[in-house]
Amino acid sequence: MLRYLTAGESHGPGLTAILEGMPAGLEVSTDDLVRELGRRRWCYGRGGRAAIESDEVRITGGVHKGATTGGPISVFIPNKDHENWAGKDRPITSPRPGHADLPGALKYGLLDCRPVAERASARETAARVACAYFAKRLLDHHGIRVVSWVTSIGGVEADLPAPALRMKSASLALDLARAAESSPVRCPDPEASTEMMRAIDLAGDAGDSLGGVFEVSALNVPPALGGFAHWDRRIDTRIAAAVMSINGVKGVEIGEGFRLAELRGSQAHDEILMGGQCPTATTGDNPQDCMVDVASRLCRSTNRAGGIEGGMTNGEAVFIRAAAKPIPTLKSPLRSIDLTTGMQCPAHVERADVCAVGSTAVVGEAMVALVIAEALLERYGGDTVSPRIAW
Ligand code: EPS
């Protein structure tokens, strides 16, 4: 079992992440972990906070001489803004529509939503990305890559190769991910990136915020991860929950997702084809050998299922698309109620991001990587890192 916990608040002393269940002997490095955190920390549209934090982490457990020990891995990420925050943590009595403020205050019987806002903050996702760094190292070891890119922000759509190609072609996914890495909004289309930045500027100037859509593709994932025997073993259940848990995410699709509902079965499913000759398939000498041989030669010409059928990976790229809503903190606030007086008033305003979709995509990668690593360990796990899995 691979499990993790995060603790800490946005402006508290720092975030703590504990990841338990990683095999021993996996080479890791603090520098690479910091680099991974840097991919999440900044994108165009982030506010002043991104310039304050540097996410200089300390690995405080589970790693010895640059390799995992098998013990729980613990990481501490200090909040540099903690020191600046003294005296600035004003009460939040007028909850922001769309934020955890109001339901969180109702949950804990609070008139001040500050404790809710501090923990509900997406700052917490830095701790998840830290856990996922180790998961990604395990996936790397087995030749599995998880990549992401942004396809739209505030209604500005990137001009990308068709979704069917993005789902099917690993080389295209790698190209898109490479291009996204050098875009300030994590979008592989340079012209759309410029337009997205303009849209972010306009929204920011109007005291508003923007959301968007991102895609995550996990490449070279072995088949048969997850399970069909019970609902909570299904890898699509787990991926959807993991991605939906990211702050701001309101929609998750796997493969063609909602579009499949419009198609006939003959148009929706990915035909099973034989990639080459299978001499043993006709001998009938040993059905089990034949099955292994057949499995290694199968191919699909399409990947509308997004690499998952019946709750299990099928050997194609695992492909998800997710929608992030606009950030709820608005400089031109919506109407709210003051919890202390019951009077109508504008919602709470404070420093915030205008758009964080580029960062959210990196968190999406992290959540998908953690689920796939867990499922990989369920099927192939051991105490120490095993030789690269062949399938
Ligand atoms: C966040 C508000 C902003 C974001 C923060 C999440 O922080 P602040 O209130 O300090 O300006 O920058 O995200 C991060 C600090 C981060 O590292 O992702 C919120 O309210 O969710």
Side-chain angles (χ1 to χ4, degrees):
M1 183 162 73
L2 185 67
R3 52 189 173 161
Y4 54 97
L5 279 174
T6 72
E9 280 74 36
S10 185
H11 303 93
L15 300 164
T16 302
I18 298 184
L19 177 67
E20 198 271 337
M22 285 296 284
L26 189 68
E27 284 181 21
V28 295
S29 109
T30 305
D31 288 348
D32 289 350
L33 169 55
V34 169
R35 211 164 295 128
E36 187 65 8
L37 288 165
R39 294 178 65 238
R40 184 209 71 95
R41 191 171 55 249
W42 187 82
C43 62
Y44 196 85
R46 298 282 253 158
R49 182 71 186 275
I52 297 171
E53 299 301 338
S54 53
D55 293 345
E56 285 160 16
V57 295
R58 272 194 299 141
I59 298 176
T60 51
V63 174
H64 182 65
K65 294 189 175 166
T68 56
T69 63
I73 298 167
S74 56
V75 174
F76 183 69
I77 311 171
N79 286 329
K80 287 202 164 159
D81 205 28
H82 177 58
E83 284 168 23
N84 311 332
W85 200 245
K88 280 199 207 156
D89 60 340
R90 289 177 294 133
I92 302 174
T93 57
S94 45
R96 291 159 285 183
H99 200 278
D101 291 346
L102 179 60
L106 296 173
K107 182 175 175 67
Y108 291 106
L110 304 173
L111 293 178
D112 174 9
C113 311
R114 177 61 68 187
V116 175
E118 284 293 315
R119 176 62 188 162
S121 163
R123 174 80 184 135
E124 183 267 348
T125 60
R128 302 197 216 179
V129 170
C131 292
Y133 160 71
F134 298 94
K136 281 187 172 181
R137 288 294 300 128
L138 180 71
L139 298 183
D140 275 350
H141 173 78
H142 292 294
I144 303 165
R145 284 280 307 275
V146 185
V147 295
S148 70
W149 53 84
V150 169
T151 62
S152 80
I153 284 182
V156 178
E157 295 272 348
D159 185 9
L160 300 178
L165 290 172
R166 310 207 285 273
M167 288 171 207
K168 179 62 192 159
S169 164
S171 60
L172 174 62
L174 289 172
D175 285 348
L176 293 174
R178 212 169 295 120
E181 217 62 39
S182 52
S183 157
V185 281
R186 212 175 174 71
C187 173
D189 172 356
E191 278 158 33
S193 295
T194 307
E195 258 190 81
M196 288 171 182
M197 289 192 279
R198 199 170 306 130
I200 290 169
D201 288 343
L202 289 173
D205 291 347
D208 221 321
S209 63
L210 293 180
V213 174
F214 63 88
E215 293 175 342
V216 177
S217 186
L219 307 167
N220 206 26
V221 179
L225 302 187
F228 62 90
H230 203 254
W231 67 269
D232 52 356
R233 293 189 183 276
R234 299 176 66 102
I235 200 160
D236 41 6
T237 303
R238 292 150 67 178
I239 287 177
V243 175
M244 189 62 98
S245 78
I246 301 169
N247 316 44
V249 168
K250 295 299 270 185
V252 183
E253 284 182 295
I254 295 181
E256 292 276 10
F258 276 73
R259 209 178 87 80
L260 290 175
E262 297 161 11
L263 303 176
R264 291 187 171 193
S266 56
Q267 303 165 316
H269 299 297
D270 306 307
E271 286 187 299
I272 302 167
L273 308 173
M274 187 57 80
Q277 284 287 306
C278 178
T280 55
T282 52
T283 64
D285 291 343
N286 183 341
Q288 191 60 38
D289 284 355
C290 178
M291 174 69 190
V292 171
D293 196 26
V294 169
S296 67
R297 289 159 183 261
L298 295 182
C299 68
R300 309 290 183 104
S301 53
T302 54
N303 182 26
R304 300 174 185 121
I308 300 176
E309 290 170 310
M312 294 158 289
T313 55
N314 65 5
E316 294 291 317
V318 170
F319 190 95
I320 71 113
R321 179 182 293 125
K325 69 184 177 184
I327 290 195
T329 308
L330 304 178
K331 295 248 154 33
S332 306
L334 293 172
R335 285 178 299 170
S336 183
I337 296 285
D338 190 313
L339 297 177
T340 59
T341 63
M343 302 294 285
Q344 191 85 59
C345 65
H348 179 81
V349 180
E350 64 183 28
R351 181 187 66 194
D353 307 329
V354 174
C355 179
V357 179
S359 297
T360 311
V362 177
V363 184
E365 267 178 39
M367 297 311 286
V368 171
L370 281 160
V371 173
I372 293 176
E374 182 191 43
L376 191 83
L377 289 171
E378 281 163 15
R379 187 159 161 82
Y380 298 100
D383 293 327
T384 53
V385 175
S386 57
R388 186 171 164 157
I389 300 163
W391 62 86

